Structure formats: structure tokens, C-alpha cells
Amino acid sequence: MDTKILACGESALKTAAQLIKQGEVVGMPTETVYGLAADAFNEEAVKKIFKAKGRPADNPLIVHIYDVCQIQDIAASIPPAAYKCAEKFWGGPLTMIMPKSDKIPDITSGGLDTVGIRMPSNPIARRFIQLCGTPVAAPSANLSGSPSPTTAMHVFKDMNGKIPAIIDGGSCNVGVESTVISFEGENGIRLLRPGFISVEDLKEVTTNVTVDKGVVEKLDENTLVRSPGMKYKHYAPKAEITIVDGNAQQFARFVSEQSGDFMCMVFDKSDIAGLDVKFVEYGSTSEIQAQKLFDTLRRLDEIGAKKVFARCPDKNGVGLAVYNRLLRAAAFRVVKCHE
Ligand code: TXA
Ligand code: MG
């Protein structure tokens, strides 16, 4: 099958929506990362997503909507705090886990009795979902285990020949996947995956916010996995990445003591000023790092990097999302350079 890249516009969106109605899978831009979209209610179509990605069947998909009224068909009940979150953060990079309705097939929810729901802010995604006439299930459009795609070309590289079309919506603004939360107790929120909507943002809705252990720790076999995606190796390039936790000076001292062939992944070149080392930059603010992270990981593969020392991002705000993804890309290898 030839994979077409559709320059986005109303007629391209109609063509893509027609493919969804025929039970096909389409690459879709969102403000976070590109998704692989299919009719969330159509088992056969959703099966094609799992096949194209090589995704384990127990890892559930997020269901995307263009209007809040679509929730009625997807969720069996809506936790009170979800209304507040929807009002504050939708359309936007927030996925909320709720009990699923019978209309959502088990394959979409990975066999769970809950479903993740998200209303993106990206106007192309919203118009496309509206034209599809159905909520669309969409995981990130990468091959399972690879860095998420933030451009149509990234999707093409992973999905060429596997899906009929990709809608080209340019580079994604946010760059890391949505914040995923579940609800517990009276008014509690549990953060399962950090994203652009930060812990600080969620605390404006309720002070009762718990950051799940899996966000910054490797879960051992005995720990309850609340979000199946957390247990898989993720976002990983082929290079062996080590996170170096320390300030610019400590980072520079650490790499100056290393031998052999390696690359540095730095905020900007001042981090390694005066050193004769190969490097890539991924930005000096958490927002830029989020936008550039996955592209940088893909570039490291393209240049054939084998060993990479990455400067540790700040862990506040969207920085926690950058750290969470980089930690998985580094298979949890962290060297601490603090005194
Ligand atoms: O920004 C995003 O969320 C992107 C774009 C395309 O919208 N999508 C995305 O989907 O990142 P995916 O499938 O790559 O990641 C979804 C994550 C997985 O870690 C999955 O385990 C978790 O959300 N998840 C989905 N449904 C869940 C559920 N019912 N319970 C717990 N975790 C769930
Ligand atoms: Mg993913």
C-alpha cells in the first residue's frame, strides 16, 4: 500500500475522514504528537492500529473527541472532578480515564473496563474528528517502542506502506504526549503520565493530586501498574543514553572524564564550552525541550550515535514530562553529579 501525505485543507480532511468511515487507519496531527486514528467503535479498524504499530494488545488506546457531548457515548459515568478538568483544560493535552461504556470494544480499551478520553485543541484534529462522525481511537503514530512522531515525516518513516494516508499538520506545538490522569475518592486526581498540563496546573482543580510511582521510577514486578503504557520500554532510540544529573559545570566535568566515542545531548552549546566533544542541542527551556525531545532522539539514530550523555532536564512544570520520557529513553540510567 502506498502511504499518501495529504497537505491539510478541507478537501484532504474529507478524504481522510472517508478512509476512517471505511475502517482504515489515518495519521493525524494533534498539538502533542501525531496519532494513528481509527473509528473507536469499529473493532476491525482498531485491530489495524495495533498491527501497524506492533503494539501489545493489553496497552489501551486513547479515544479522541471534537466536542464534549461525545463523552456520553464513551463513558459509563463521569467523575465530578472530570467536569472541572474538562472546563479548565479541554481542548488541550489532557487525557482522563473514566469507566467505559459498552459501545467501546474491549480491543480499544486493551481489555480494561475504563477508557482514556481526550479532546485535542489542534483545530485540524478537531475538524477531522468531526468529519469522521465518530470518536477516533489514536495512539501515538510511532512503531511501538520508538520515539513518538512530531512531524508528518516522522510518521511516514515509521508507517510507510502500512497505512493509506497521513494528514500533514506541520510540527506539533507541545511535542510530548498528553498528561494522563485517573480519578480516585471524593475529589482526587492521580497523575499517570506527565505532560504539558502540569502537576501545578492540576492542583488548581484540587489539592488532592497524587503523582503515581511509575512517573519517575522503574516499577518492579510486584507494583500495581495503573497505566499499561508505563511498563513498556518507550521512546527509545537505538543509542545507549545515560542521563547526567547536575548543573552545566558538573555535566562538563563528567563528560571531560569520559573516553571513547560518544555524543552529548545538551541544552545549548554553552554546556560544553571549550570541550572537544560531539553534541546535539535540545533547548534551554522546558517548553522547547518538550518540542524538540523526540526529534532529537530520532536524529541521534540518524547520525548513528551509539553512546549518548544527556544533560538532565529541570523536573518542574512540563519539565517533568521531558524527564519522564528521557528516563525511559535512557532505560532509567541516571548518573548523579551533585556534591
Ligand atoms: O497526546 C497523546 O495522548 C497522543 C495523541 C495522539 O493524542 N496519544 C498517545 O497515545 O500518546 P498512546 O497510546 O501512545 O499513549 C496512551 C497512554 C498509554 O500509556 C496507555 O497505557 C495509557 O495512555 N492509557 C490509555 N487508556 C488507559 C486506561 N484506560 N487506563 C490506564 N491507562 C490508559
Ligand atoms: Mg505512545
Side-chain angles (χ1 to χ4, degrees):
M1 165 191 318
D2 274 348
T3 301
K4 289 198 184 70
I5 298 187
L6 308 172
C8 85
E10 186 68 8
S11 79
L13 294 183
K14 283 188 175 147
T15 305
Q18 199 52 40
L19 287 167
I20 296 288
K21 287 178 186 165
Q22 290 162 4
E24 286 301 332
V25 174
V26 170
M28 155 182 91
T30 81
E31 70 278 17
T32 56
V33 300
Y34 275 71
L36 271 189
D39 179 348
F41 296 140
N42 180 337
E43 262 184 59
E44 290 309 312
V46 172
K47 260 187 210 163
K48 292 181 186 172
I49 296 182
F50 281 88
K51 186 158 180 247
K53 272 184 75 82
R55 180 170 174 118
D58 68 348
N59 197 359
L61 307 181
I62 294 171
V63 175
H64 294 66
I65 57 177
Y66 81 95
D67 189 283
V68 275
C69 67
Q70 288 181 292
I71 282 202
Q72 312 288 346
D73 280 345
I74 304 167
S77 62
I78 303 171
Y83 286 100
K84 292 189 206 157
C85 289
E87 208 170 292
K88 208 164 166 54
F89 304 119
W90 274 3
L94 179 72
T95 296
M96 299 196 261
I97 310 289
M98 301 182 203
K100 84 170 186 74
S101 83
D102 293 340
K103 278 189 84 175
I104 294 290
D106 283 345
I107 182 165
T108 302
S109 65
L112 298 175
D113 53 12
T114 55
V115 61
I117 309 178
R118 165 160 129 78
M119 183 163 93
S121 61
N122 181 309
I124 302 166
R126 288 273 280 281
R127 176 66 180 147
F128 170 59
I129 300 166
Q130 184 179 18
L131 289 168
C132 290
T134 177
V136 301
S140 50
N142 51 290
L143 288 172
S144 196
S146 291
S148 291
T150 53
T151 65
M153 202 33 88
H154 291 164
V155 182
F156 187 78
K157 281 188 181 140
D158 280 15
M159 293 297 151
N160 185 17
K162 298 184 170 187
I163 60 172
I166 302 162
I167 304 163
D168 188 352
S171 295
C172 301
N173 285 337
V174 172
V176 288
E177 308 88 339
S178 62
T179 304
V180 178
I181 59 170
S182 61
F183 300 95
E184 45 194 23
E186 269 289 282
N187 219 358
I189 290 179
R190 177 175 289 271
L191 177 72
L192 300 177
R193 181 176 72 179
F196 190 78
I197 305 297
S198 64
V199 175
E200 295 82 349
D201 293 333
L202 295 169
K203 283 191 173 155
E204 286 176 25
V205 172
T206 166
T207 48
N208 186 1
V209 179
T210 309
V211 177
D212 197 86
K213 219 174 155 210
V215 168
V216 289
E217 278 178 50
K218 188 173 184 175
L219 297 177
D220 60 40
E221 277 162 25
N222 305 318
T223 311
L224 172 69
V225 178
R226 288 193 168 83
S227 183
M230 291 202 290
K231 71 183 179 202
Y232 296 107
K233 190 182 172 201
H234 237 94
Y235 318 108
K238 295 181 185 82
E240 181 195 280
I241 298 187
T242 302
I243 299 176
V244 181
D245 193 351
N247 62 26
Q249 228 178 355
Q250 290 161 334
F251 181 84
R253 190 180 322 137
F254 177 87
V255 296
S256 69
E257 288 162 358
Q258 304 305 309
S259 56
D261 190 26
F262 63 87
M263 290 281 298
C264 296
M265 185 172 151
V266 296
F267 297 173
D268 64 56
K269 58 180 184 292
S270 68
D271 291 347
I272 35 108
L275 293 178
D276 182 21
V277 290
K278 288 185 276 184
F279 66 94
V280 289
E281 296 170 303
Y282 78 111
S284 301
T285 67
S286 298
E287 286 73 18
I288 299 174
Q289 288 170 0
Q291 278 172 350
K292 290 181 72 167
L293 181 71
F294 291 133
D295 185 60
T296 306
L297 295 176
R298 283 174 178 262
R299 259 174 43 224
L300 286 169
D301 275 350
E302 276 164 26
I303 56 186
K306 299 272 182 300
K307 201 172 182 181
V308 178
F309 295 111
R311 184 148 176 228
C312 187
D314 181 82
K315 296 165 199 161
N316 295 304
V318 66
L320 184 64
V322 177
Y323 181 64
N324 167 275
R325 307 309 191 270
L326 191 56
L327 201 53
R328 280 159 178 77
F332 293 89
R333 270 183 302 271
V334 182
V335 181
K336 288 206 189 315
C337 291
H338 302 296
E339 253 69 53

